[in-house]
Amino acid sequence: AISSVEAYHSEICGNTTGTPDCFGAADKCNLHRCFVHSNHAEGKGGGLGRCYAYDCVISNNTSVKAGAGMSIASNNENYRYLLSGCTVVNNRSSDIGGGVSIDANAPGIVTNTVICGNSAYGQGGGVYGAPCVNCVISNNLVHASTSNNSKGGGVSAAKIIGSDICFNLLETGSGASSGDAYGAGAVVSTLIKCNVFGNAISSGYKNMQGAGLYGGGATNCIIYENFINGSGLGAAMNAS
């Protein structure tokens, strides 16, 4: 793993952070057009921790806790961490935030980035907590485990502006029929000028609500063609 360096056109792969207090194969780095892949964290942030990353590909990283692609924890630092123009794809968290996870008070933002094909257990298959502007958040997945609820196949607990949230999925697993499903596209999030479409909740959950959006709010958004596979409430959105 690397820390506090600037890297250009580099490959960062095959690293493992073995303690829960470590963040990412790269932490406190400036990365430009790098390929960050196949790293693992026993804690948060399989690929990246507190970094600036520009035009990077972040893929196939895993984490036991939040943010398999990138994780930024709450802190008192006076500058913002950034993902810009990146592709975050096929990362997998055993907790929340398969693609990107940013704590509520942490200084981070994601812009002009594709977050696609990531997965998590519980909530935030693509994004958990990370403010996103002009992004595509698509084809992400939240798996249900045992009797736990599933939330936010694409986005959970985040502010999203000018982005597409599409084709994300809440999927039942073994024993998940006693759990509930909320917001395949987004859950408890603030959406502004977003397109929310093609998101789905699979059958097998006890209660299913808001395939497009559950909770939070939407301003100047287009929400269409979202789907609940079975009886449920608010295929487009449910503000309960």
Side-chain angles (χ1 to χ4, degrees), residues 173-196:
S174 176
S177 59
S178 58
D180 300 332
Y182 303 102
V187 67
V188 194
S189 295
T190 299
L191 310 183
I192 301 172
K193 296 182 179 179
C194 291
N195 298 311
V196 183

Side-chain angles (χ1 to χ4, degrees), residues 109-165:
I109 191 169
V110 182
T111 66
N112 302 303
T113 288
V114 175
I115 302 169
C116 178
N118 304 283
S119 64
Y121 284 85
Q123 59 182 310
V127 172
Y128 181 85
C132 296
V133 180
N134 296 332
C135 292
V136 176
I137 303 166
S138 71
N139 295 94
N140 301 288
L141 171 68
V142 167
H143 301 277
S145 58
T146 63
S147 61
N148 292 335
N149 296 335
S150 298
K151 305 174 184 179
V155 178
S156 179
K159 184 174 183 179
I160 312 296
I161 301 173
S163 300
D164 289 344
I165 303 170

Side-chain angles (χ1 to χ4, degrees), residues 53-210:
Y54 304 90
D55 297 326
C56 294
V57 175
I58 303 159
S59 71
N60 295 293
N61 302 286
T62 57
S63 65
V64 173
K65 295 187 177 181
M70 181 181 193
S71 180
I72 300 174
S74 179
N75 56 53
N76 296 318
E77 296 174 359
N78 294 321
Y79 52 93
R80 298 179 70 87
Y81 299 104
L82 174 72
L83 281 182
S84 183
C86 294
T87 299
V88 182
V89 60
N90 293 337
N91 301 284
R92 178 172 53 85
S93 170
S94 298
D95 189 25
I96 59 177
V100 182
S101 175
I102 298 180
D103 287 0
N105 296 320
I109 191 169
V110 182
T111 66
N112 302 303
T113 288
V114 175
I115 302 169
C116 178
N118 304 283
S119 64
Y121 284 85
Q123 59 182 310
V127 172
Y128 181 85
C132 296
V133 180
N134 296 332
C135 292
V136 176
I137 303 166
S138 71
N139 295 94
N140 301 288
L141 171 68
V142 167
H143 301 277
S145 58
T146 63
S147 61
N148 292 335
N149 296 335
S150 298
K151 305 174 184 179
V155 178
S156 179
K159 184 174 183 179
I160 312 296
I161 301 173
S163 300
D164 289 344
I165 303 170
C166 53
F167 305 115
N168 301 287
L169 177 65
L170 298 179
E171 180 181 65
T172 52
S174 176
S177 59
S178 58
D180 300 332
Y182 303 102
V187 67
V188 194
S189 295
T190 299
L191 310 183
I192 301 172
K193 296 182 179 179
C194 291
N195 298 311
V196 183
F197 60 95
N199 303 286
I201 301 175
S202 72
S203 61
Y205 288 98
K206 183 179 178 181
N207 298 299
M208 298 178 283
Q209 299 187 40

